[in-house]
């Protein structure tokens, strides 16, 4: 799964640490998601979509091999 978290953070001028604080995870979790090393839970994905005010499928999307 791929995502646009880094781009969306930049649009809102949020650091990894600030986004992490807003959704209740560590900065390392945000970093791992941005590097596609961690797939978030449904709850976490929904929290992120709420902050970015975009549907989940505009932030997270499957690749051909998924």
């Amino acid at each position: 799964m791929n995502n646009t978290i880094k781009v969306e953070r930049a649009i809102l001028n949020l650091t990894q640490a600030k986004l992490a604080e807003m959704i209740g995870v560590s900065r390392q979790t945000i970093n791992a998601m941005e590097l596609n090393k961690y797939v978030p839970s449904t709850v976490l994905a929904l929290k992120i979509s709420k902050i970015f005010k975009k549907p989940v499928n505009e932030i997270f999307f499957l690749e051909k091999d998924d």
Side-chain angles (χ1 to χ4, degrees):
M1 183 177 351
N2 209 337
N3 66 72
T4 60
I5 295 173
K6 187 172 185 176
V7 172
E8 300 298 337
R9 276 195 314 101
I11 291 169
L12 296 180
N13 198 28
L14 293 173
T15 64
Q16 286 182 342
K18 182 62 180 173
L19 177 58
E21 178 185 322
M22 292 170 79
I23 59 175
V25 298
S26 70
R27 184 201 59 78
Q28 290 84 353
T29 299
I30 301 298
N31 186 56
M33 281 191 284
E34 289 183 356
L35 296 173
N36 300 317
K37 293 182 177 181
Y38 175 75
V39 176
S41 68
T42 304
V43 172
L44 189 53
L46 288 168
K47 286 180 179 181
I48 291 169
S49 82
K50 185 175 180 180
I51 289 171
F52 294 150
K53 296 183 173 120
K54 291 191 173 184
V56 171
N57 65 334
E58 286 186 20
I59 301 166
F60 300 95
F61 46 94
L62 297 174
E63 297 194 42
K64 289 182 182 180
D65 297 339
D66 290 338

